[in-house]
Each structure stands twice: as structure tokens, then as C-alpha cells.
Amino acid sequence: MAHGEDLPTPAAGSDAPDFSVWLEQFKQEARARGITQATLDAALAEARPLEQVLELDQRQPEFVSTFLNYLDKRVSPERIEQGQAALAEHGALLDEVSARYGVPANVLVAFWGLETHYGGYLGNFPVPMALATLAFDPRRSDFFRSELLQSLRIIDAGHVAAADMKGSWAGAMGQVQFMPSTYLRYAVDGDGDGRKDLWASLPDAFHSAAHFLRELGWQPGQLWGREVRLPADFDWESARLNLKKPVATWAALGVTQADGSPLPKSDMAGAIVLPQGHAGPAFLVYRNFEVMMGWNRSINYALAVGHLSDRLLGLPPLQGGRDADNRTLSRDDVVEMQTLLAALGFDVGEADGLPGARTRLAIRNWQKSVGIPVDGYASVGLLERLRAP
């Protein structure tokens, strides 16, 4: 969400008494938990449900993006060039942060680039009002009620003025888009001014991001992963994030680096990940990849961060998998796929249009039954095969 946008408008009927009653009850709870009246007045005096927040929260994506489309949108030539410029411009600060926390500068800049396009899009929603909107909504009320309380604690501690606490529609804040609870656990005063300002202070933002990654278990001096080439006789069922083998074992099975050269000699454990099925790119990922997923649970997101971090150092673009079926599935397509699989006796759970874990397992079981590569990947080609009489 770019700076300079108009302030999001309240939802229609937002002065309805049910929200007012809820808000007054919340304020009573907040006061009981030590939040000052001054903070409540500054953050919530004009609070109304924000229509755009509800729309964005309830909007389901019409299409399921392929990994290649996802990656190309986020690791663009422009983002690589801007990230390399940022590495050079902030080199001294990044070196200091890396030395303290063990997280490489290029990794920190890659997270910064994906989260806010290097500070270009911090979001313009007033965070307390956005969180109040989501806390009032019954679907995930407990989570957002807790985040709203944490946001008030941040204001109460003097780290940011209520009027300056802007962020995403879901309450993520600052250069690296921390939720309030993450902020309170991991934010660092990197410039020594007594405040943890993740909006305007890059020292605070970089120190905080590195501290978060270190606490998630970042392994200094280790790669996040690498693109690999798989042999023709590869056992596709072994390509799972929860199946780890030593690098030497993968090498003995015929896995090589993307350019065909041997994997380095190592006993470090890794897993093979196929984000676009057996025809797409393949990656061997390590412990630091799991740390990246601790920041965001999406495999595509973590691969994009890792690949961008490599590209910032001048490493090559993807070398394999570009000829994979890159047609986009709609949610209706996925519902049809789930319905067809269920009719064949494969358990997909609810036909909800989302290719989640149960659907992927059902695809694997069906693929095994018909003798095709067992990669669990939902694609247009797979749907076409399911449709065939």
C-alpha cells in the first residue's frame, strides 16, 4: 500500500451501536491491562470499522498463482537492481547488523524488498483502527483483539505516535511489516534513541529483522538452499519439505547443482522442494529455509526471498523448469479438481478451491494409482487428465 493514499473510509453503517458497545468493552479491558486513557483517546477516539479492511480480509483470490508467475513478479530486474543499490547505499549499517546477528546483508535486504519494496510501500491504514475492525469481526476476533492490545502497548511505550502507526490492512507495520506481537517480542532500538521506530529508522528495522531471524533459528554461514537438477529416475514422492536427507545422500541419488556440476561434499540435511511440480524448478533447501518460512509460512514466499537474496549477489536466474505448464488455475478449476478426485474415492476434505495439504495428498494418491510422477501438484494439465473419460 503506497504512501500518499487517501485515508481509508469507514464502512457503511459504521456508527452502529454494536461496534460502539464492543469498543467500549474493549477499552475497559485495555485500561484494566494498563493501557493509559491518553493512548486510548489518541488511537481509538475516532475508531470506526473500515470498509476496505473487511473487503480485503474477505476477498478470496480468483486465481491460484503458479510459482513461476509468483517469482517473476517479485524477483524482477527492477527489484534486483534496486536491492543491489540498497546493499551498496546501506553497506556499513548492514555489515554492522550482520556481524551482530549472523544474518547476511543480502538476506535482510531481500526480506525488505519483498515486504515493502525497500520501504516504498509501508501501507496507509491506521493500524489500531484496522485491527479494531478485524477484532470486531467474529471470524478471527481473538487473534486481532490481542494484536490490537499489543499495538496500544507500543503507542503507550512511546515508540510511535498513534497518528503515525500506519500499516497494512491486516496490521503489519513498518519497513519489514511486523505485526504488533512480533514487534513487542523482537523489535530492537538499533540507533540508540530510546525508541523502536520500524517506520523511519532503518537501523531499527534492520536490527529488528535480523534479531527476529536469529531467534527463529538462523544458522550463520549456511545457505538457505540452492536450485538443483534431478535425475530422470528420481523418486518424486521423496520431494517433500518434511523428508530430509544429507546432501551426500541426495548426491548419491543423482541430484546435482542446477548447472549439472556435483553438489558440494556435505552432511548437512536438506529437503527437495518442487514448487511447480516435477516439470518445474527443483530446490534443495536447508534449515535456513525453514527459518524463512517462520517469517511467512508460504513456500513460494520463502523461495522468492532466497532467490532474490542470491540474485542480489549476482548469482544466476533460475536455470531449470521454465518449460513447466504455467497456465493459471482458477478457484473454480480447483473446486472441479477436488470434486473429480472425491468422486474417484480420494479424500480432499472440503472442495473449497484451495489446493491445501489434503488435496495435495489426494493428488499424490491418484497420481500413484495411474502411474504418473507423484508430485502432488495441482495444475491445469492434471485437471485436463482428470476430466478425460
Side-chain angles (χ1 to χ4, degrees):
M1 190 79 54
H3 285 294
E5 296 177 61
D6 293 333
L7 190 68
T9 55
S14 61
D15 57 350
D18 51 356
F19 178 79
S20 300
V21 170
W22 177 89
L23 184 62
E24 195 51 48
Q25 291 172 341
F26 172 81
K27 287 180 179 179
Q28 290 177 11
E29 177 192 344
R31 281 190 290 267
R33 291 174 177 266
I35 302 299
T36 65
Q37 187 63 45
T39 289
L40 290 170
D41 289 344
L44 295 173
E46 304 297 323
R48 299 286 189 274
L50 297 177
E51 183 178 355
Q52 293 98 318
V53 168
L54 293 173
E55 288 173 354
L56 288 164
D57 185 44
Q58 295 170 14
R59 182 184 300 164
Q60 297 285 358
E62 184 179 352
F63 295 99
V64 180
S65 177
T66 66
F67 168 71
L68 290 173
N69 286 339
Y70 181 97
L71 186 79
D72 290 345
K73 182 178 178 181
R74 288 159 181 79
V75 188
S76 63
E78 177 199 27
R79 196 164 299 195
I80 294 166
E81 182 179 343
Q82 290 181 347
Q84 289 173 333
L87 271 174
E89 180 181 355
H90 305 294
L93 169 61
L94 288 162
D95 287 346
E96 169 199 324
V97 173
S98 296
R100 177 169 178 179
Y101 299 98
V103 182
N106 60 308
V107 170
L108 294 172
V109 170
F111 273 105
W112 187 32
L114 255 70
E115 289 293 344
T116 61
H117 212 127
Y118 312 112
Y121 303 93
L122 302 192
N124 198 39
F125 285 90
V127 166
M129 207 182 301
L131 290 171
T133 299
L134 293 166
F136 177 60
D137 188 83
R139 288 169 305 150
R140 288 179 290 165
S141 177
D142 289 348
F143 172 77
F144 286 110
R145 187 184 186 98
S146 174
E147 293 294 333
L148 174 57
L149 188 64
Q150 312 296 12
S151 75
L152 299 178
R153 287 186 171 135
I154 295 166
I155 296 168
D156 229 16
H159 294 297
V160 63
D164 295 331
M165 185 182 262
K166 302 289 181 63
S168 77
W169 65 267
M173 310 178 300
Q175 300 280 337
V176 290
Q177 295 289 280
F178 276 10
M179 291 297 290
S181 57
T182 304
Y183 176 106
L184 286 174
R185 290 186 67 184
Y186 301 108
V188 173
D189 175 15
D191 56 18
D193 69 352
R195 298 167 58 236
K196 300 171 184 176
D197 181 359
L198 302 193
W199 293 263
S201 170
L202 285 182
D204 290 6
F206 290 154
H207 276 265
S208 298
H211 179 229
F212 183 31
L213 290 166
R214 185 183 71 183
E215 293 305 302
L216 286 172
W218 187 268
Q219 303 296 301
Q222 292 187 11
L223 300 177
W224 66 271
R226 67 172 77 243
E227 187 187 2
V228 293
R229 184 185 298 177
L230 305 178
D233 62 350
F234 185 76
D235 175 12
W236 302 107
E237 285 193 81
S238 65
R240 287 182 280 122
L241 192 56
N242 61 357
L243 180 60
K244 302 177 181 65
K245 301 177 187 287
V247 173
T249 301
W250 289 120
L253 292 171
V255 178
T256 68
Q257 296 193 63
D259 62 3
S261 61
L263 290 171
K265 294 188 183 301
S266 171
D267 286 326
M268 196 161 74
I272 300 291
V273 173
L274 303 173
Q276 199 156 332
H278 71 280
F283 298 88
L284 177 57
V285 299
Y286 308 118
R287 169 64 183 142
N288 282 341
F289 179 81
E290 296 178 37
V291 172
M292 290 172 165
M293 287 192 64
W295 183 301
N296 182 318
R297 295 307 302 171
S298 162
I299 286 177
N300 285 356
Y301 176 90
L303 287 172
V305 170
H307 187 57
L308 178 57
S309 73
D310 287 349
R311 299 299 305 280
L312 295 180
L313 297 181
L315 295 178
L318 292 185
Q319 299 181 53
R322 282 290 177 183
D323 55 351
D325 184 352
N326 205 39
R327 293 174 291 172
T328 303
L329 284 167
S330 70
R331 290 176 63 86
D332 288 344
D333 289 336
V334 178
V335 168
E336 182 185 357
M337 179 183 298
Q338 291 168 325
T339 303
L340 290 169
L341 285 165
L344 292 170
F346 298 95
D347 179 16
V348 297
E350 180 186 357
D352 57 4
L354 300 172
R358 285 176 77 173
T359 296
R360 293 194 300 271
L361 179 59
I363 291 171
R364 284 178 180 270
N365 289 334
W366 174 77
Q367 288 170 326
K368 193 183 304 184
S369 74
V370 297
I372 60 177
V374 183
D375 57 20
Y377 181 65
S379 68
V380 174
L382 184 133
L383 176 58
E384 290 171 344
R385 179 148 183 171
L386 279 167
R387 286 171 175 163

